[in-house]
Amino acid sequence: MLFQQQPPTLGNQYLDDPVLHSYLKRVLPPDVLREVEPELIEMGRLAGGDMYQMQLADRLNEPRLTQWDAWGNRIDHIELTPLWRAAEKIAAEHGVVATAYEQKHGRFSRVQQCALAYLFTPSTDIYSCPLAMTDGAARTLLSSGNQTLIERAVPHLTTRDPNQFWTSGQWMTELTGGSDVGLSETIARPDNANERNADETSSEPPTRNWLLFGRKWFTSAATSQIALTLARPEGNPPGGRGLALFYLEMRDACGQLRNIRIERLKDKLGTRKVPTAELTLDGAPAQLVAGTTDGVKNITPLLSITRLWNGISAAALMRRSVALALDYARKRTAFGAPLAEKPLHMDTLAGLQAESKAAFHIAFFVAELTGRAETNEISQDESMLLRLLTPLMKLTTARQAVAVTSEALEAFGGAGYVEDTGLPVLLRDAQVLPIWEGTTNVLALDALRALGPDDRALQVLKDEAGRLISNVDGKLASVVRNALAHAESWLITARKSGELEAGARRFALTLGRTMELALLCKQGSRSAQRFASEGVDRIWR
Ligand SMILES: Cc1cc2nc3c(=O)[nH]c(=O)nc-3n(C[C@H](O)[C@H](O)[C@H](O)COP(=O)(O)OP(=O)(O)OC[C@H]3O[C@@H](n4cnc5c(N)ncnc54)[C@H](O)[C@@H]3O)c2cc1C
């Protein structure tokens, strides 16, 4: 009866992470690393300390929607939990979005920002969701060249001042489909009654010339100030091309929703702190971002950024699971010794570490390329590689996150299944990663499109993998080469036999895992061998 089990604890999540250190040391110039480290140490301290404690204390809280006030007025107010309110302030002050736009370190700013997001995410119960969409909205508006909207919103989306900070939603999914958004039913009508708002001093958005009518079926972060959304201007043709990209501000100067009703919050398996809502747009005022068609194409910059965040979040949740499991292995005794001295237990954790490191490296490699693209320091081949690797990275890391967090819970035995340990939420939250921002299958098909004319992008990927393994011992290098050669020959055969679509997922996972192995080799990671032993080639022989 005297036995007491010590729970797993976390230290400074930056200082305790040799994978992040050695990576940053490899890719950042020494002066940049010196300058960014204090911020990372501070975020690591918060993530393993105050924020983690706040997260455990906030466990039972969930966002609450109040639709009516006591006097019968529709208010649709969402109350966030204390953790999320704190996370918003911390995110703004520490520049978890802003860093990428301040560009203090040129193309390395994106890597720096992703390192901050990686440390921040696992202690905030997916506050990364609104931040990802905010980052994506800023990038999309900047790419659109729409100066009015850029001047109106981007300073808010990228500020470090919590009082000025805005987050953005991304409203694409409708009842008709989240994958096939071309089926969207929301329509846009010109608002002839309110053409331009000529009053420059007004707090209203500068133009209010369209009204949106429809239902948005999954809108996370429904407390955001703005959203980018798709709607079909009346008279436009069906399909994705007939949709336009719109910007809207959710509330007026008095805080009232602008012809938007929040019908309910989703009752979800995980991401339960995220207020994912069903919305009705009943004449919501909105502005065009970039023309009256091609909305799906015009929202692509947003999806590239949210997919990058998805990969960083996947790596971060895996790393958190492994960090807790390793600490627990030192504190839990079975059969006369700590689990950390049991070869089989440690072998199991080594497998998780290998997957986690592989996910880390591919996600940060995409961050490196994104940083190059954002500073126009990218070659044509690298652009093709980024286009191909973004879906590959997202789908590969998301599947790894579900597998790793699931296995990590088992490493705690029964405790891993018990809610007040704070552990099960890791698995529940990871389970969303393969679903939102494009499911595994949808992204696998996207990867086929990203191969480009004559499968040029596959050649670029092969060349890149070749460079990554150029100094590597024969056996690991041949695993990489053989898997890529198999993928290439499968592609040719499958095209001829009509099996391309059915095999797209296995093809994409093979490319994703092979690039992960090549990146582990480049890093000189001791986990490369272990990762290779789990297999990278997912194509049927
Ligand atoms: C917690 C949460 C929050 C979300 N937040 C947002 C948000 O803020 N904004 C937003 O716009 N959306 C959001 N979504 C919606 C999400 O992006 C969609 O659920 C997702 O894109 C899938 O769309 P769907 O649900 O309509 O499924 P469907 O498109 O119906 O897909 C069903 C299944 O069919 C498969 N499939 C579809 N097409 C093909 C094909 N051609 N070949 C093979 N398989 C295929 C899919 O892979 C999937 O397994 C959120 C979802 C969740 C769970």
Side-chain angles (χ1 to χ4, degrees), residues 129 133 168-181 216-222 228-229 266 268-272 274-277 299 303 307 431-443 445 449 501 505:
C129 168
M133 296 189 292
S168 175
Q170 156 204 347
W171 303 348
M172 297 177 71
T173 306
E174 301 196 2
L175 253 168
T176 44
S179 309
D180 189 2
V181 285
K216 295 292 175 183
W217 191 234
F218 274 95
T219 59
S220 288
L228 296 188
T229 189
K266 298 281 194 194
K268 297 170 292 178
L269 169 70
T271 66
R272 293 193 67 96
V274 184
T276 307
I299 204 168
L303 296 177
R307 285 168 186 167
Q431 185 64 66
V432 84
L433 297 172
I435 296 175
W436 64 15
E437 310 310 338
T439 61
T440 311
N441 286 356
V442 165
L443 290 180
L445 295 173
R449 287 190 292 276
E501 199 168 317
R505 181 189 180 107

Side-chain angles (χ1 to χ4, degrees), residues 34-227:
R34 246 192 329 274
E35 278 180 47
V36 304
E37 251 193 336
E39 272 183 7
L40 296 175
I41 292 172
E42 175 57 11
M43 184 58 87
R45 186 189 68 76
L46 283 169
D50 296 352
M51 270 160 63
Y52 180 49
Q53 292 311 319
M54 221 186 304
Q55 181 185 33
L56 293 174
D58 200 58
R59 188 177 63 81
L60 294 175
N61 296 325
E62 295 196 349
R64 278 214 327 261
L65 169 64
T66 305
Q67 286 174 311
W68 304 95
D69 74 5
W71 309 104
N73 300 305
R74 182 104 193 211
I75 52 170
D76 288 354
H77 173 72
I78 297 174
E79 188 68 25
L80 296 174
T81 79
L83 175 70
W84 260 49
R85 290 200 298 272
E88 177 170 317
K89 189 164 179 289
I90 293 169
E93 285 172 348
H94 290 262
V96 183
V97 173
T99 304
Y101 296 87
E102 291 162 351
Q103 289 282 317
K104 282 198 192 136
H105 303 292
R107 67 186 163 91
F108 301 112
S109 299
R110 186 52 86 175
V111 171
Q112 179 193 359
Q113 182 234 6
C114 285
L116 278 170
Y118 171 76
L119 295 168
F120 171 86
T121 293
S123 298
T124 62
D125 287 345
I126 314 294
Y127 193 75
S128 50
C129 168
L131 296 182
M133 296 189 292
T134 301
D135 189 348
R139 176 55 50 216
T140 306
L141 292 175
L142 287 169
S143 317
S144 75
N146 184 326
Q147 278 311 317
T148 309
L149 294 181
I150 290 171
E151 281 163 30
R152 171 80 186 168
V154 174
H156 288 286
L157 300 173
T158 60
T159 181
R160 284 182 184 244
D161 177 354
N163 298 317
Q164 294 295 318
F165 185 51
W166 286 0
T167 57
S168 175
Q170 156 204 347
W171 303 348
M172 297 177 71
T173 306
E174 301 196 2
L175 253 168
T176 44
S179 309
D180 189 2
V181 285
L183 296 173
S184 294
E185 294 179 324
T186 298
I187 56 162
R189 290 193 188 122
D191 179 10
N192 299 325
N194 283 295
E195 263 310 309
R196 262 192 111 77
N197 179 2
D199 179 2
E200 295 291 319
T201 60
S202 166
S203 62
E204 297 293 304
T207 54
R208 294 181 41 166
N209 49 355
W210 290 82
L211 299 176
L212 308 188
F213 299 84
R215 282 170 85 190
K216 295 292 175 183
W217 191 234
F218 274 95
T219 59
S220 288
T223 48
S224 291
Q225 285 78 4
I226 68 161

Side-chain angles (χ1 to χ4, degrees), residues 224-472:
S224 291
Q225 285 78 4
I226 68 161
L228 296 188
T229 189
L230 299 175
R232 194 178 312 280
E234 257 180 341
N236 270 18
R241 284 213 59 199
L243 293 169
L245 177 58
F246 286 91
Y247 164 95
L248 63 77
E249 295 186 8
M250 285 188 73
R251 290 174 182 79
D252 62 20
C254 307
Q256 299 291 319
L257 284 165
R258 289 189 159 97
N259 300 344
I260 298 169
R261 288 197 301 278
I262 303 179
E263 304 297 2
R264 60 174 167 166
L265 296 183
K266 298 281 194 194
D267 185 9
K268 297 170 292 178
L269 169 70
T271 66
R272 293 193 67 96
K273 294 283 194 297
V274 184
T276 307
E278 293 166 19
L279 302 181
T280 299
L281 312 182
D282 193 9
Q287 290 88 54
L288 284 167
V289 175
T292 54
T293 58
D294 294 307
V296 177
K297 189 174 125 217
N298 290 331
I299 204 168
T300 312
L302 191 152
L303 296 177
S304 300
I305 294 292
T306 52
R307 285 168 186 167
L308 171 60
W309 273 82
N310 210 81
I312 297 290
S313 302
L317 290 186
M318 285 186 249
R319 145 88 181 130
R320 172 60 54 89
S321 312
V322 171
L324 289 169
L326 281 171
D327 186 62
Y328 189 66
R330 288 187 282 270
K331 293 173 173 166
R332 180 72 172 168
T333 297
F335 302 102
L339 292 173
E341 290 171 22
K342 303 285 177 195
L344 178 54
H345 190 74
M346 293 316 281
D347 181 78
T348 308
L349 296 190
L352 301 189
Q353 276 179 298
E355 294 292 322
S356 168
K357 289 180 196 177
F360 172 97
H361 284 295
I362 198 169
F364 274 86
F365 186 58
V366 171
E368 284 172 52
L369 290 172
T370 304
R372 283 182 180 278
E374 289 171 331
T375 50
N376 294 322
E377 292 174 59
I378 196 162
S379 66
Q380 210 179 352
D381 277 357
E382 285 167 337
S383 286
M384 293 189 90
L385 186 61
L386 174 60
R387 168 72 185 91
L388 175 59
L389 273 184
T390 299
L392 293 178
M393 177 277 295
K394 193 276 189 185
L395 70 88
T396 307
T397 56
R399 296 244 47 93
Q400 287 172 304
V402 176
V404 167
T405 50
S406 170
E407 183 71 56
L409 295 196
E410 192 179 329
F412 294 89
Y417 204 67
V418 171
E419 290 289 354
D420 59 3
T421 60
L423 295 166
V425 69
L426 287 164
L427 174 59
R428 283 202 303 270
D429 285 354
Q431 185 64 66
V432 84
L433 297 172
I435 296 175
W436 64 15
E437 310 310 338
T439 61
T440 311
N441 286 356
V442 165
L443 290 180
L445 295 173
D446 186 49
L448 290 183
R449 287 190 292 276
L451 292 174
D454 303 324
D455 300 330
R456 170 79 195 139
L458 181 59
Q459 192 52 51
V460 175
L461 184 146
K462 280 177 63 190
D463 293 346
E464 184 63 35
R467 274 190 292 277
L468 292 169
I469 57 170
S470 56
N471 292 323
V472 175

